[in-house]
Amino acid sequence: MRQQEEKINSQTSLFILLCYCFRFSNHQQESILSVVAADGSRVFAAAYDEWGQQRVTLREVVVTAKKRNPPMQKLMLTNDTPSPPLTLTGDALGVFGLGNTALNSLGESLKYNAGNSTYGNGKFYFHNKTERGFYGNQHVQTTRLTVVGAKIIKATGNIGKAISGIQIGIGIYKDIQTYQSQGYTNYYNTVRATGEWAGSFLGSQIGLNVGSLIGTELGSLFGPGGTIVGTIICGAACGFCGAYYGGQTAGLAVDYLYGK
């Protein structure tokens, strides 16, 4: 059978499908050669008899390949590493402890810096320790700010002790686990938890005193009432900062001693 050459554009990167269709007519075998391009290129087809003689040239054909779009896949966003749950023995305990420390600092500042100041009927009546405060009358009922501070300290003090006890207990538990698994412990976790508690307590007292001095100087610029307000605010703020950074500093000091 005669060879027929077909030119196909090299830039189309096609594959060629050769289809041979045979049929019998009047006891003579005829063959039809079709060259089809998958991208729709125009090609010819011709029919040959059994001796290789071309019988007929068929008209041009255009073949278009239909692409089947792959099914859309759902995009699933997954996190291979799940976030650890927030537990009372983890971050939540620390956050709760910071909130309790802030309230405790405010209570201490009110108790020790409010003087004879009172609150009642939606107003504050600021008086220092050397002045007689306004304690209400038949129309106004007041409450001393020092009493409010004492109540706050009573509540936050008990909560703070419980939190510190839990944190120290966690440290002891970790050291026991280390001993059981390795046969030895240097009590690092216990010492660190205890050091953080002691540093926080000492820092809060230092911060309260320093803040009170700063508040007194700043508040004096606004008169006697400004002195009381400045002392309360600065005492509470510095007391909180002292408690926080005191605990952090103590923890870092323990890390340094243990070579962590």
Side-chain angles (χ1 to χ4, degrees), residues 232-256:
I232 294 174
I233 295 176
C234 290
C238 292
F240 171 75
C241 292
Y244 176 77
Y245 288 106
Q248 294 292 316
T249 302
L252 292 176
V254 173
D255 291 343
Y256 177 78

Side-chain angles (χ1 to χ4, degrees), residues 26-80:
N26 298 325
H27 305 288
Q28 291 184 347
Q29 182 177 356
E30 294 182 352
S31 63
I32 299 176
L33 171 63
S34 298
V35 181
V36 181
D39 70 339
S41 300
R42 295 178 179 274
V43 295
F44 289 95
Y48 300 90
D49 57 22
E50 59 182 338
W51 296 284
Q53 299 298 320
Q54 184 172 339
R55 296 285 300 276
V56 64
T57 300
L58 304 179
R59 63 180 296 182
E60 278 187 332
V61 295
V62 178
V63 180
T64 302
K66 183 178 179 181
K67 273 189 176 180
R68 295 185 60 187
N69 294 326
M72 295 183 64
Q73 297 181 353
K74 294 182 179 180
L75 180 62
M76 303 294 294
L77 298 178
T78 59
N79 185 7
D80 295 336

Side-chain angles (χ1 to χ4, degrees), residues 93-259:
L93 184 62
V95 173
F96 187 73
L98 287 177
N100 185 75
T101 300
L103 287 176
N104 186 76
S105 299
L106 176 61
E108 288 187 340
S109 188
L110 287 173
K111 180 179 179 180
Y112 297 110
N113 296 326
N116 293 325
S117 301
T118 57
Y119 173 80
N121 199 27
K123 296 181 180 179
F124 287 96
Y125 305 92
F126 294 106
H127 299 85
N128 59 36
K129 295 179 181 180
T130 60
E131 296 177 338
R132 178 177 175 81
F134 176 68
Y135 302 113
N137 50 37
Q138 66 272 22
H139 303 290
V140 179
Q141 184 178 1
T142 61
T143 302
R144 297 186 63 170
L145 297 183
T146 53
V147 175
V148 175
K151 291 180 179 180
I152 293 175
I153 292 175
K154 183 177 181 180
T156 56
N158 293 331
I159 295 174
K161 291 176 182 178
I163 294 175
S164 300
I166 293 174
Q167 291 174 332
I168 294 175
I170 292 174
I172 295 174
Y173 175 74
K174 289 181 178 179
D175 289 332
I176 292 176
Q177 283 189 320
T178 301
Y179 179 79
Q180 291 177 344
S181 61
Q182 301 179 8
Y184 169 80
T185 181
N186 57 6
Y187 303 102
Y188 162 75
N189 296 289
T190 303
V191 173
R192 196 179 199 281
T194 305
E196 287 179 340
W197 167 78
S200 180
F201 176 79
L202 181 61
S204 68
Q205 299 304 311
I206 295 176
L208 176 64
N209 293 328
V210 173
S212 299
L213 294 176
I214 296 175
T216 300
E217 295 298 326
L218 294 178
S220 62
L221 300 176
F222 304 93
T227 301
I228 301 298
V229 174
T231 304
I232 294 174
I233 295 176
C234 290
C238 292
F240 171 75
C241 292
Y244 176 77
Y245 288 106
Q248 294 292 316
T249 302
L252 292 176
V254 173
D255 291 343
Y256 177 78
L257 292 176
Y258 277 85

